[in-house]
Amino acid sequence: MNEDDDVAGPEEASFGTDGPAPDVRTPPRKNGGETTVQRNRNERGLVASRKNGIPMPWKREAERDFMHLLESAPEVRSYEGRQDAIAVNVDGEIREHRVQFKVEVADASGRAHTVMVDVFGNLDGAKGRLVDAVADHYSARAIHYVAVTEAEVARQPRLGNAKAVLAGGAVEPPEDFLLALPAALARAPATLGELERALSDWRPAAPTDPPTPLRNLIYAAALRGCLRLELHKEPISEHTPILT
């Protein structure tokens, strides 16, 4: 099987999406900063993963971008790359398939569960039948599986916002900032700009040169789960809503 046929997440988890779009298939059940390096022919680079604590290799840009969505999605706890091969029956032929991502997500109650995710160029024809077969395999094991297209991964402004938060939030926020943040959030700021104004009087105990932009510290706090930003609807700005 072509390596590009492998990729994968939960029906309940959106990974920063607003839910399934027309080019996302959630098959019916039967019952998460970047560093680029040259590694080998199969790995084109690495994503610096805060969720996993280790760099994560990628072969295709769609894989890299999907990991950026996972890294910026607050419901994602951790994830793994390409999984062991499974045997599935597609049109009467037994085929091996390696799902690309195993994602651990938390639902609204905080309960953790596993989602297997594939990212494909399209979900038409033979690829759609493969998706159905893989979905049947995992459904029989009470595991969620979803296939997502490259177009859905690349959807804007969500992907651009995720990359902006990861790039800006790569800083290490000082402890005194993290201690000041809850009091600012207690003032119920509705937008990113309002939160920045609520923090405008804060000064770092140990100033840096140059100083770290306040917005980058907020991004870093968001990546640590201290607050949630609406990253799906509009390019990130001072008007970006803070979710409660």
Side-chain angles (χ1 to χ4, degrees):
M1 166 176 238
N2 188 309
E3 287 287 347
D4 286 347
D5 286 347
D6 323 333
V7 195
E11 292 167 276
E12 285 83 358
S14 64
F15 308 132
T17 73
D18 294 320
D23 55 355
V24 177
R25 177 175 301 184
T26 304
R29 300 184 195 174
K30 285 190 171 180
N31 235 28
E34 174 194 351
T35 302
T36 300
V37 297
Q38 189 65 39
R39 295 174 59 83
N40 57 44
R41 288 183 303 172
N42 292 325
E43 295 178 6
R44 293 177 54 196
L46 298 172
V47 166
S49 173
R50 172 170 292 277
K51 302 275 187 180
N52 299 321
I54 58 172
M56 300 295 293
W58 57 272
K59 297 191 305 180
R60 296 184 294 140
E61 291 183 358
E63 296 177 15
R64 177 201 64 193
D65 291 346
F66 186 69
M67 284 191 278
H68 287 163
L69 295 179
L70 294 178
E71 290 290 332
S72 62
E75 70 270 22
V76 173
R77 292 185 171 179
S78 64
Y79 60 94
E80 299 175 8
R82 207 170 302 277
Q83 300 296 293
D84 293 338
I86 60 173
V88 295
N89 188 325
V90 183
D91 297 334
E93 176 186 353
I94 301 301
R95 299 177 58 182
E96 285 193 343
H97 177 69
R98 297 180 67 198
V99 169
Q100 184 168 356
F101 293 101
K102 177 181 178 181
V103 185
E104 297 298 323
V105 301
D107 61 21
S109 69
R111 180 177 59 91
H113 60 103
T114 299
V115 180
M116 310 299 286
V117 186
D118 270 323
V119 180
F120 292 124
N122 64 75
L123 301 177
D124 300 330
K127 189 59 61 67
R129 294 191 292 275
L130 171 64
V131 166
D132 292 340
V134 175
D136 291 345
H137 173 91
Y138 284 112
S139 177
R141 291 156 178 80
I143 298 174
H144 300 305
Y145 169 80
V146 64
V148 184
T149 66
E150 294 178 2
E152 170 62 13
V153 170
R155 182 165 62 87
Q156 299 295 348
R158 183 191 61 198
L159 180 60
N161 286 343
K163 289 177 179 288
V165 169
L166 289 171
V171 299
E172 190 67 32
E175 187 67 22
D176 54 311
F177 173 80
L178 295 177
L179 291 173
L181 182 60
L185 290 172
R187 296 165 63 177
T191 65
L192 180 55
E194 289 183 14
L195 177 58
E196 288 175 317
R197 289 188 285 276
L199 287 163
S200 61
D201 291 335
W202 172 79
R203 296 293 181 271
T208 59
D209 187 18
T212 302
L214 182 58
R215 184 166 298 185
N216 287 357
L217 294 176
I218 294 173
Y219 289 166
L223 293 174
R224 287 158 177 78
C226 300
L227 70 150
R228 298 182 63 156
L229 300 171
E230 168 55 68
L231 300 179
H232 314 126
K233 298 178 180 179
E234 299 290 341
I236 198 163
S237 72
E238 64 174 324
H239 305 296
T240 294
I242 294 175
L243 304 178
T244 57

